[in-house]
Structure formats: C-alpha cells, structure tokens
Amino acid sequence: MNIIEILKLIFEESGFAGLIEDPRYLIMILFACFLLYLGIHKKYEPLLMIPIAFGVLLANLPRTGLTDGLIHYLSLGVEYGIYPSLVFLGTGAMTDFGPLIANPSSLLMGAGAQFGIFTAFLMALVLGFDPKVAAAIGVIGGADGPTAILTASKLAMEYLPAIAIAAYSYMALIPMIQPPLMRLVTTETERKTVMKQTRTVTKTERIVFPIAVTIFVVLLIPDTAPLVGMLMFGNLLKETGLTDRLSDTAQNALTNIVIIFLGISVGAKAVASTFITVRTIEIVVLGLIAFSFSTVGGLLIGKIMYKVTGGKVNPLIGSAGVSAVPMAARVSQMEGQKANPNNYLLMHAMGPNVAGVIGSAVAAGFMLKIFGA
Amino acid sequence: MSAGRALIIAVSGFLIVFLMLCLLWFIIVLINKVTDSIGAKTAKEEPVKAETSTVEVPAETGTQEAVYGGEIALYDVDEKTAACLMAIVSDETKIPLNQLIFKSIKALD
C-alpha cells in the first residue's frame, strides 16, 4: 500500500466523502452555523439556541456514529419527556407567582393568549398534517419551549426539531413580532392606561398556591402532571424558604445541566433526511401564525377587561399571556412606556405572563389527552 | 379527521383552558379569603397579649411617633433607611431576608 492509497483510504472513510455522497448534510451544517450565528451574534435565546445549533451540527457531520451512541442516550430524556419537566422544575423555582396571586383576573389574559394554539392546530389540519402533528405544531403558539418539546416528543417525534427551533426562534423574536400587533389591536388611549399598584401577597398565600394548583389542575387534567406538577414543586421549593439549597439547585445547576442535554438532544434530531422538507417550512410558518394569534387573543381579552373595569386594566399586558417569561412582560412594559412614560406595567404584565405558563401547560395536557392515546 | 370534529376539539380545548384558569382564579380568591380570616383572628388575639406582657411600650410610644411600614414598627426611621438596615443585618448574619422577622426599628440618640 503506497502513500496515495493510504490518503485515498483516509479520505474515503472521512466525513468529507460523506458530504459528497449526500450534500444535504452540507446544507444542515450551514443551517447549524446560521443558528449558531443567531444564538451568539444576535443573542436569540442563546442558552438554548447554542446547544440546539451545536446538536444540529454534531448530528449532521457524517460517519461520526454519535447519533447511535452518546446522543442516542441523551435523547432518551426527550423521548420520555424527562428534560422538559425538569426545566419546568427550574422555571417554577425561578418564578414569582406573586403578581398573579395579587391580581388573579390576569389568568383570563393568560387563557386568551392560548388562542393561537387552537388556531394553528386547525390550520395545520387544513394543510394536511396528521392530527397528532397538528396538535404538536399548535402548541408552538403557547410560546413555551419545554411545553412544545414535551408535546412534540409525545405526538410528533419526527417533527420535534422543527417545532423546537420554531418555538425558540419566535420566543427570541417576541420584541419584533408583538409590538406591531399590540399597536394594531389597541388604541392610544388604552395603551396610556396607568394601572394601580397591586396588593401585597402574604407568604402563606405563596406557599398554599403551588399546592392548591397542583391538586386541582392535575386532578382535573392528569396529563398536565409532568409540567404543572414540576412547575409547582419548583415554586414550592422557592416559597417555603426552608429548602433554599434545593431551590438553588433547581434554579441553577440542574436547569443548566438539563438545558445542555435538552438542547443537544433536540438539535441532534434535525438530521438532513427528515429536516430538509417542505413540511419544516410549513411548521415554521404555522408557528408564526400560532404566535401571532396567541398575542392577539391575549390583547383582545385585555381590551375586554379594559372595558369591563372602566379603564383600570391596560390591554397591553394581555400580550404577555403568551408565557415567554419574562420577555413578553418586558415588551408590554416597553410599549406601555412608549405610550406614556409614567407607565410601569412590568409587574402587572407578570401576572398574565406566568398565567400563560400554566395556560399553555393545560392546553398541552388537553392535546395529549385527546391525541396521546 | 372531519372539519366538524376538528372544530369541536379546538373550541372545547380553548374552553377547557379558560375554565381551568377561571377555577384557578376562584382558588386564589379562596386562599386569599382563608388567609385573611386567619390573619384577622391572629390580629385580634395579639393586642391582648401585648397588654399583658409589655408595660413600658405606652411610655415609649408616647414620646416617639411610630410609623408602621408593613409589619414592622418604625420609630423615627424612614422606610429607605429601614430597608438598608434590614439588608445589612441579613448580609452580616447570612440569614436570607425571607427568614428574618423584624418587629421594630428604632433610631437611638
């Protein structure tokens, strides 16, 4: 065997030869680099976008065998719905439900902002998607990454990467997607509404809330248990004040570890053969529609509450019901201040914002109940 | 799936989300009422205890006007200074603020 033959053998067994064999891998590598650019340079949800993008990159380097080894085992956490639930545990430990407890009527805006889930579900059916896949696509409208991933992992595994990437991309694009809709749906007078400071929430209420929500919601829709149960458990760890170490672990170490595994696993599902299809583009478009309808749904409920309360509720906080915490609430704050510099809506918007998290978990639980069997 | 069935699923799903969150609204109000009534009961019992156990309090309050900020009695101390003091005590003692209970803060001459 001469040196030329050795070099030829090395090349033939390299990933480069694999790229020549199937150029779709090259497209996926470029796509992974684009996602990395969005995550690193544009700072679009970098904590998840970067692991997902790197997962896409690793899975599309031919002949590594990673998808049968390391990534296969990491992916079990997605397939069994473990990672999204653990992310919810961390989210619960980080979430302050105080604004929601102080102003429980904001739950209605959180419910209204799930409108996009059901609209996108119907549109996906019109486009010919299988009902299970349509349900998973609709959940993108909840603007909640872990919920979208959990639903997709149970109902539409083959579309999981497209759904996850669409969900996180739109969550990152909230400051661009929502403001035009907010200005379109609300009037100048409504946007200028200054809201009164909410009441103080006692520690007892904060402790009882997660326990009561878990009992009632999970008893009524048992399929919400992985999400609502973990969310409320995390919140209880935070609110008791007696389990600071556990709360700290849930908020930081555990969440960070799970996000790494989740991101890599989801990204690695985006292999060229299943990802480069027209269906992926349709999912991305449907995700945007779902997101927009959810925003409008929350705003419309906000407008109704503005009328009913005689102008005491600023409808801009309704758009925060899409649950991307706390980005959507910040957008409400920014738009409110543009209309009236003395407007401080952030804490008021946190109510619908965290209500949206519960609302999207309930909507996902409903979809799993109907289509999961 | 027929269009009618799809529509029924979408509408009923949306309604269930609404009903569930309305139920949570009710639960939150209920929790608030219960904790308020328990708090009111405790508040009724506390003045009786104060009368029997503290004798010097009336003399002090007679000379210094007490300002109540939440559950803490502030004597000649504004809320901003009180907040700073509480943060310092929490930091020095390494006890999180949510585990510390301040009953009163009084300015000394």
Side-chain angles (χ1 to χ4, degrees), chain A residues 104 107 205 216 220 241 244 366, chain B residues 6 13-14 21 23 25 27 32 99:
Chain A
L107 280 159
E205 285 176 277
F216 285 98
L220 275 169
D244 284 343
F366 172 80
Chain B
F14 195 45
L21 295 192
L23 176 74
W25 184 355
I27 290 168
N32 179 235
Q99 289 176 20

Side-chain angles (χ1 to χ4, degrees), chain A residues 108-168:
Chain A
L108 295 179
M109 288 179 268
Q114 310 311 316
F115 182 51
I117 291 182
F118 301 99
T119 317
F121 162 69
L122 290 174
M123 286 184 178
L125 286 176
V126 170
L127 286 176
F129 278 99
D130 178 82
K132 283 185 176 190
V133 180
I137 294 170
V139 176
I140 299 174
D144 197 312
T147 307
I149 290 171
L150 182 79
T151 318
S153 69
K154 305 257 184 198
L155 301 178
M157 197 58 172
E158 67 275 28
Y159 295 108
L160 173 66
I163 289 170
I165 290 167
Y168 281 106

Side-chain angles (χ1 to χ4, degrees), chain A residues 147-223:
Chain A
T147 307
I149 290 171
L150 182 79
T151 318
S153 69
K154 305 257 184 198
L155 301 178
M157 197 58 172
E158 67 275 28
Y159 295 108
L160 173 66
I163 289 170
I165 290 167
Y168 281 106
S169 303
Y170 294 135
M171 280 164 67
L173 291 171
I174 276 182
M176 277 173 256
I177 297 170
Q178 285 197 323
L181 294 168
M182 292 161 97
R183 288 191 285 269
L184 186 74
V185 175
T186 58
T187 64
E188 179 81 19
T189 319
E190 286 170 343
R191 290 196 293 274
K192 281 182 176 171
T193 308
V194 176
M195 291 179 71
K196 277 186 191 167
Q197 198 175 348
T198 50
R199 71 174 176 88
T200 309
V201 176
T202 64
K203 188 172 173 160
T204 314
E205 285 176 277
R206 287 173 184 275
I207 292 172
V208 174
F209 176 76
I211 301 169
V213 170
T214 307
I215 293 170
F216 285 98
V217 175
V218 175
L219 278 179
L220 275 169
I221 306 180
D223 293 81

Side-chain angles (χ1 to χ4, degrees), chain B residues 22-53:
Chain B
C22 284
L23 176 74
L24 285 187
W25 184 355
F26 170 74
I27 290 168
I28 291 171
V29 172
L30 196 70
I31 294 169
N32 179 235
K33 297 277 180 212
V34 172
T35 52
D36 269 3
S37 64
I38 292 169
K41 259 187 191 173
T42 324
K44 271 183 189 172
E45 287 166 7
E46 268 178 3
V48 179
K49 279 183 193 169
E51 274 176 19
T52 53
S53 61

Side-chain angles (χ1 to χ4, degrees), chain A residues 255-329:
Chain A
T255 300
N256 292 341
I257 291 168
V258 172
I259 280 177
I260 291 171
F261 290 172
L262 179 71
I264 288 276
S265 310
V266 168
K269 292 276 172 201
V271 286
S273 54
T274 55
F275 195 79
I276 304 176
T277 62
V278 178
R279 285 302 203 199
T280 302
I281 298 165
E282 287 174 347
I283 288 170
V284 171
V285 174
L286 284 168
L288 180 63
I289 292 169
F291 220 83
S292 306
F293 272 94
S294 287
T295 302
V296 172
L299 288 168
L300 289 177
I301 297 289
K303 279 174 81 80
I304 293 169
M305 290 180 71
Y306 173 84
K307 297 274 182 211
V308 171
T309 59
K312 286 181 184 163
V313 173
N314 189 319
L316 287 179
I317 66 169
S319 64
V322 297
S323 90
V325 182
M327 184 90 83

Side-chain angles (χ1 to χ4, degrees), chain B residues 77-91:
Chain B
V77 180
D78 60 278
E79 286 189 6
K80 201 174 168 184
T81 313
C84 289
L85 284 168
M86 289 189 280
I88 291 165
V89 172
S90 168
D91 187 54

